[in-house]
Amino acid sequence: MPEFKFEGTLSNGKPAHGVFTADNLKDAKIKLKSLARSKNLKINRILKKRSFIYKVQKGKDKPFTGEQKAYTKEEVSA
């Protein structure tokens, strides 16, 4: 089951975030909508965890290719 991460803001201005699973993006939005109503939360963005293929090279060594699951490209490069 796909994993989703949300980032939002509470009514008092504090940041809120969390991770949950859902069958697809539509179901994820439905779950978040009910959570937002009950916790008085404003959702800023929803991210789906996906696979990224990367290639790195250290010095003059042979390049190494790998795969990593992450929410954003920035997480993989970090």
Side-chain angles (χ1 to χ4, degrees):
M1 192 176 282
E3 194 172 300
F4 294 89
K5 177 171 116 175
F6 73 90
E7 297 174 356
T9 310
L10 294 170
S11 60
N12 60 5
K14 290 184 180 180
H17 55 85
V19 178
F20 64 98
T21 59
D23 291 328
N24 52 41
L25 184 60
K26 184 179 178 181
D27 289 344
K29 287 181 179 181
I30 292 169
K31 282 184 177 182
L32 278 178
K33 195 173 189 179
S34 67
L35 177 71
R37 257 188 266 119
S38 67
K39 301 291 184 187
N40 202 10
L41 174 70
K42 180 186 175 207
I43 304 298
N44 296 332
R45 67 184 195 168
I46 304 169
L47 302 168
K48 181 180 179 182
K49 188 175 253 189
R50 52 195 179 125
S51 295
F52 289 91
I53 296 175
Y54 63 90
K55 186 176 187 179
V56 294
Q57 182 176 1
K58 184 175 180 181
K60 294 185 179 186
D61 293 341
K62 184 177 177 183
F64 174 77
T65 303
E67 183 176 342
Q68 181 176 346
K69 290 193 178 277
Y71 295 103
T72 63
K73 184 178 176 181
E74 291 77 25
E75 287 180 20
V76 176
S77 61

